[in-house]
Amino acid sequence: MGLSSIGTANEEGVQLCIFDLRRGQREGQELDKILYFFPADLPLSSQLSVIGLSEGLITFTRIFSPDAACEVIEAERHSHVFYEAEPDIWMVMIVAKSKEAEAIWRIDALREVLKEIHSLFVMFHGCIRTLLDKEPGGGLTRAHLYPFVMDYLRDFLFGKKLQLPSFRDCLKERRTVQMLTVGREAAIEVQTLVRILESSAGNMPCFSLILFQDLLVSTTLSPEDTINMFTYAVLRLTPLALFSGAKSWSYLRKGNSSSHVSTGSTLFSTGSVLEQFYGSRDASPAGDNRYHVTRPLQHDKWFKGKDGFLVTDIWGGDIGSLNVTTPTVWLQQTEERMYLCAYQYKSLTLILLIPLSSILNGDQGVSIVKQQLLENASLKILKVEEKLSKGWGGENAYHVSGYRYLLVNGNRDISRASPPAKVTTLAKESLLALNKLREEVDAEKNRAKWDNPGREKDLEVCIRVKNNAWAIACITGGKELYMVLEKANETLLYASDAVEKFSNRYCNGAFSLD
Amino acid sequence: MIRNLSFEVKIQHNLKKCFYYDDGNKLLLSPTSNQVFSWKTAPFSPNAAPNIDSITEGPICSIRFSLDEKLIAVQRSNTSIIFFHRETGETFTHRCKSESESILGFFWTDCPSCDIVVVKTSGLDLYAYDHASKSLALVETKKMTVSWYVYTHESRLVLLASGMQCKTFHGFQLSSVGIIRLPKFEMVMAKPEANSKPVLASEDVYIVTVYGRIYCLQVDRVAMVLHSYRFYRDAIIQQGSLPIYSHKVAVSVVDNVLLVHQVDAKVIILYDIFSDSRAPISAPLPVLFRGFPRSDSFTSRPGTKESESLEASDSNDNEAIIYGEGWTFLVPDLICDVANMRLWKIHLDLEAISASSSEVPSVLEFLQRRKLEANKAKQLCLAITRTMILERRPINMVAKSMDVLVTSYALSLKAGSYFKGIKTERTSSSVPNVSGPGQGVDVNTGRTDGLGKSVQHESASRVNSVSVSRPSNYLSSETEDSSSFEPLKISSNDAQFDSGKVDTGAESSATGNPLNASVSEQQESQLTSPAISPDEMYRFVFAPAEEEMIGEPSYLVSIILEFFRSANLEKVKVHPNLYVLTVQLLARSEQYAELGLCVINKIIEPSKEVALQLLESGRQNFQIRKLGSDMLRQVSLHQDYVLLLVQDGYYLEALRYARKHKVTTIRPSLFLEAAMTSNDSQHLAAVLRFFSDFIPGFHSTSDFSTYYHILNEMNSSSVVA
């Protein structure tokens, strides 16, 4: 059945809540705190007890660490992951530690999910606090949060089960961008295309993002905005995302979207408690709602128009008549709302963001810009697509035989990893070992952050796993390299040689320090 | 607008108005009853004095000096040619053998097997001159009927007309490599009415040499077009037609530009027949006299230099008649005004031509092909490009222009002309052979074989004449001087890079051709190609543009990116300074994301300059600074990298790196101080230990004792605490 039923049916399922510490502080008004709760049909009393516990923990830990209260509570059967999304607005995820061994989590990876939800939400709807200020009753905020998070969580739905990132995903890094490696010539072509794109809107300060398949080719956005826009594009806009049912190799979109259709209908058809509390259950445009809520993460809502531009009726309008409202997003860098124009040609997806303030006559102005874009850039787009396609090595392009790796450049929020299909060949033991190692490294990193803010820590750990694999972590100058070497020689020298080789070959020798 | 100008040479009062042009030696000849006056036309000088040779009296049909200028051949009639030896005064006469044939004309040749070719109604006779017996020996005869012929020494090509309409042609090229017989071909002629058959006249056929290719142009007055034919070794191919707007037309070639004089309309239409395009370069342009008091251009110019020219000329007011009755067009670029006894040399006013077209890329293309005034063309290109950027013209157009300039530079590198100093240049011969896969009948004047008598003598004579006269272009010499001086100035006060190469170029050419004494006379010819190097693009286009442009640097970055694209396509290396500028511009407009991509994807190529600029610009952005330090490591600037690490407080990492990459030049005290300020006694001890272990005798240095003392204090104080 639907998502919401999972939560109740399976007590070992996931709970996720968002609440505001500044609200509901008087007795009898506790419900005010709750901004979002999953599963939604959990009795309100149970919801309140979960939030009450979290609140208590936060208040307690703040005594010792006012600036950064608790991050995680490990109970016997559950892990509570905390994330303070905005001042006093907390997101808490509770996952069960199941006896079935699959439920082994890396806390930082779960926290990244919370961060992702929040960042994407802010990109479309602005800060939660702002929404709360706009309508102190909280109805508006709840009406936005509920469908948004639900739509987001559907991507993690496998059959009837929510599958959050587990130890099997330890060679992946959420909240980073995956980039296409391009040669100098192609890079120059891309960069000149960017210039042409951004000049389509005249002298207005625009931003753009170019993706090839599910990989980033170019961005002019700030790192944070880039991550958000990239994530959204991969989730909903790239060719692989558009054709639902298509096999994806990006971990951002691992669910099989065809299953969403069947569950979608039942997802929101729950009890009346929910209906009253969240106000708007189903934000379908036809519905008679108190609030007009757009659902940017809704599935199967984007289409490729005849002119190559991607269209959606999520923001209103009628897809049949192509008379749709242009989507908008909110950028953190400029603190400004932007029109989002996405154009697609074969594997190439181009996203142009134009400030709302610079276009006076709304959708009409946007269509002029689109026209301009087609006139100026069409040829160049063909050329760039051709160049990139020629240099594209397929989904296994970044596979390095013998290695299963994850390379994270924390300075630039970029990561690259062995293709998921290759990672699945690893033994469970190896993955568990690396997951454990990453937990340790995470802890070490966090400690270093507190001890010595602004300083980077260098670190190198090689662990021999029971199944004779090596699990390795190297950190230097803000760059991180994790790898698993199976069927490897037993000497440590071999392991460090392997790292050295990899580093020299693929990382400009960044990890080659003695 | 002002267009091409002419040059006025010489007048001799007592001469009959009878001129001959000897294109083999580039001599203007004027015979009197018993003398021949000869003026050198190359190099062109306004006040060259004539040479005077004595000949016997008699009628003169045509007159030509032998290529070694030792003999003068005068055609007396259609049966005889008389030869005078200039030094000894000896003469001998050559006569037609048969009564049935008559001599149409003759020319001297540098063909290895013969020296002189006599064109007769019955065909060609090829003779060798025998020095000993002072007579001609028949080498070969080519039999065919000939109505008339055309020949230019420049092309070494003789075309023989035959048939009722004189439109059937046989052709021979007699060059220093040998004789090539071209296939017979017919020219096209429109019929005015059904049954009339116009006869083609020799004045209507021109042989022109452009970019080393040989064309024939044929005037068709009925169709009012100029047909063009291109000559290949084994074929003659019609190349299309150019419209004409005047019944009287003439054709000149200046610096590979084809000039079609529309005599009736008194304008010239210019064509650059390099590519397939048959479109004129610009709108029809008028001819203007320079160095002539009545011309419009004159008034705007300072008058000082004019006087010289006036002295030399007997100018009267009525002489300034453009396309007057007496104008004779001599190949390739001279006009003889018989009526006024003046010789004009046609000169392209590149400035005016480029100003008359708004299509910047094609103007640049045109200018990049100019060899005669390479420096001027270059300066114009730089100015045009700069202006285009300052005016913020559409990026597409600027991109095309960048392509033109970079492609031209790459070509000139390949041809070796960019760094070459002077090559003595006779228009046609030193033009790089651009005609593709070599099957064209190209002009090959034997410059390469170097032993050819004609070449040596030409060079020798050039030495003489240059010492006599300043560059021909005396009127505009003011501007010319300044512009030709510029590159010298530049190379002296700027990068070693440039001046060095220019010098070597000049040297090598000087050694290669010792006769080339005129080198220093004419600065302008220092440049044989107007190609612009990336370094010059930076110094004369991008850097000034950056200074002058106000506001958003985004446009300039777009242009620079287009330049990178062109340079990359042509595999031309970009000057590091331009990368530095790009970093500055992107950082200034806070386009850090793009800057990052440019560095990561190596659009901005790594170098020390760029790394340092990234560190500098990275003061505001951590990511950019990181890229800078990564680049230092990447380009193996180990010492700078270690210093940077220490500076940022990563002294232990710095030591590790220094040890690995054997950096020994940094003072230990730097590390010790850094360790001390971190207030960590363990670290300080580690650093001390490091130097004690790896630097022999470190124990006895003052550094050691100082910091050892400090370490002890640290430890004792911590114990106390």
Side-chain angles (χ1 to χ4, degrees), chain B residues 510-527:
Chain B
T511 50
N513 192 351
L515 288 173
N516 212 348
S518 60
V519 172
S520 54
E521 278 288 324
Q522 225 171 334
Q523 297 293 6
E524 179 165 300
S525 55
Q526 281 278 356
L527 285 170

Side-chain angles (χ1 to χ4, degrees), chain B residues 301-302 305 351 375-376 379 470-471 473-490 523-524 527:
Chain B
R301 290 175 174 272
K305 295 252 168 181
E351 228 161 331
N375 186 52
K376 185 169 205 182
Q379 297 306 323
R470 278 283 298 143
N473 202 346
Y474 68 92
L475 206 167
S476 49
S477 63
E478 265 198 342
T479 47
E480 221 85 280
D481 272 354
S482 62
S483 60
S484 62
F485 189 59
E486 234 169 63
L488 277 188
K489 218 163 45 186
I490 288 148
Q523 297 293 6
E524 179 165 300
L527 285 170

Side-chain angles (χ1 to χ4, degrees), chain B residues 240-310:
Chain B
S241 312
L242 309 170
I244 55 175
Y245 306 96
S246 158
H247 274 278
K248 197 172 169 206
V249 293
V251 170
S252 306
V253 173
V254 181
D255 198 9
N256 292 315
V257 179
L258 179 67
L259 283 63
V260 182
H261 303 266
Q262 316 281 337
V263 176
D264 298 343
K266 302 202 174 188
V267 290
I268 293 180
I269 301 180
L270 298 109
Y271 299 93
D272 190 5
I273 312 191
F274 185 78
S275 49
D276 290 334
S277 162
R278 293 283 171 273
I281 296 161
S282 66
L285 291 164
V287 178
L288 286 180
F289 293 133
R290 290 270 169 87
F292 205 78
R294 295 299 139 117
S295 73
D296 294 343
S297 63
F298 174 65
T299 49
S300 63
R301 290 175 174 272
T304 48
K305 295 252 168 181
E306 259 55 59
S307 52
E308 290 174 19
S309 73
L310 290 177

Side-chain angles (χ1 to χ4, degrees), chain B residues 21 38 43 58 83 86 120 155 163 182 187 218 245 334 343 362 392 395 423 629 633 636 675:
Chain B
Y21 185 60
S38 60
F83 294 84
R86 291 177 75 187
K120 298 182 298 181
S155 63
L182 300 175
M187 286 193 187
Q218 171 222 344
Y245 306 96
L334 298 173
L343 186 69
S362 54
R392 293 177 183 254
I395 291 174
K423 255 175 87 187
S629 73
R633 194 164 46 82
S636 299

